[in-house]
Amino acid sequence: MTRILIVEDEDRIVSFLEKGLRANGYTTVAVGDGDSAVALARDDSFDLMILDLGLPGRDGRDVLRTIRARGERLPVLVLTARDGVDDTVGSLEQGADDYVTKPFRFEELLARIRLRLRTDDRGGETTVLQVGAVQLDLRSRRADSGDRTVELTAREFALLETFMRHPGQVLAREQLLSHVWGYDFDPGSNVVDVYVRYLRRKLGEGTIETVRGMGYRMPA
Ligand code: CA
């Protein structure tokens, strides 16, 4: 079981992260301040830390400095504020392994986490997904339907990947919205329906089914 330590003081982001990570099979522990993070990082049972830089009291930079000074090699993925260029460069210099700028899409964060865990040699991740006639190569970002290659935009790709990771499962609009578009998106938006239409147009009408009153499903 891969365990992720989340260090973030904003409840809304913590719950967004925990929900998404748990749905993808990770175990999570969340703390909201730097001291707890430094204490918990001693625990060898974590595989990765997601670290917000702006924390009350001891901030993320200080956490990073402290644990690296102690010689801990736990992979750290930093969350930085928009336009925090100095933060980003500084945190990488201080021993962060990667960073994601807020606001971020869940799929983007997940890709960074997977990449980091893979580099760290901890898991043999699948890189090609296949559901029915549709095949998605996550590494080359290539989509095929039968023997035809389909051009997808980044958003279409992220949405299709979400469906393909949950074949046969009904996914609610809100779930898809937060997963693919991020936590800052208006929950009343119809953008999911619009993109499902795009995918159907490109991959065939039957590729994604509407489940009335519940959401959408990609038949397994
Ligand atoms: Ca914060």
Side-chain angles (χ1 to χ4, degrees):
M1 191 55 108
T2 306
R3 280 166 54 91
I4 298 183
L5 176 59
I6 300 169
V7 188
E8 166 65 73
D9 60 315
E10 228 176 299
D11 290 342
R12 155 181 97 108
I13 298 181
V14 171
S15 85
F16 171 73
L17 289 172
E18 290 208 295
K19 239 183 352 202
L21 290 171
R22 287 176 183 171
N24 280 277
Y26 297 103
T27 303
T28 59
V29 172
V31 293
D33 67 279
D35 285 327
S36 311
V38 167
L40 279 174
R42 281 188 191 284
D43 188 342
D44 279 342
S45 71
F46 290 104
D47 299 283
L48 183 130
M49 180 195 284
I50 297 176
L51 176 66
D52 179 34
L53 288 186
L55 295 169
R58 182 177 220 160
D59 72 8
R61 263 171 300 267
D62 194 14
V63 170
L64 202 50
R65 246 193 322 268
T66 309
I67 67 169
R68 289 303 185 232
R70 246 170 23 197
E72 272 151 31
R73 296 176 56 219
L74 177 68
V76 175
L77 183 79
V78 159
L79 302 179
T80 67
R82 206 191 318 241
D83 302 331
V85 179
D86 293 343
D87 279 357
T88 306
V89 174
S91 59
L92 291 174
E93 279 170 358
Q94 278 161 17
D97 296 274
D98 205 347
Y99 67 91
V100 171
T101 309
K102 290 176 176 177
F104 54 87
R105 291 187 298 114
F106 185 77
E107 288 297 339
E108 181 192 347
L109 178 86
L110 190 61
R112 301 300 179 92
I113 290 173
R114 290 199 168 115
L115 186 68
R116 188 48 52 198
L117 293 172
R118 193 155 52 222
T119 315
D120 227 48
D121 222 3
R122 286 176 212 245
E125 273 284 338
T126 346
T127 56
V128 179
L129 301 174
Q130 171 101 42
V131 177
V134 182
Q135 199 175 59
L136 205 59
D137 188 325
L138 303 177
R139 204 167 283 171
S140 65
R141 314 292 293 171
R142 185 184 147 130
D144 293 283
S145 178
D147 48 13
R148 172 172 74 90
T149 297
V150 182
E151 294 295 328
L152 297 179
T153 64
R155 274 291 147 85
E156 289 166 353
F157 193 96
L159 181 62
L160 182 60
E161 180 183 347
T162 306
F163 278 115
M164 293 184 70
R165 285 190 182 278
H166 306 91
Q169 200 177 315
V170 180
L171 302 174
R173 267 184 196 76
E174 305 79 65
Q175 213 175 341
L176 292 165
L177 197 59
S178 83
H179 219 75
V180 178
W181 278 267
Y183 55 87
D184 269 342
F185 224 83
D186 171 15
S189 163
N190 71 340
V191 71
V192 172
D193 311 81
V194 172
Y195 273 78
V196 164
R197 268 205 300 280
Y198 293 159
L199 286 180
R200 282 175 175 157
R201 207 171 296 156
K202 292 185 175 182
L203 297 162
E205 284 300 317
T207 308
I208 294 162
E209 297 172 348
T210 302
V211 182
R212 196 178 281 270
M214 292 177 73
Y216 294 105
R217 169 175 59 204
M218 186 166 185

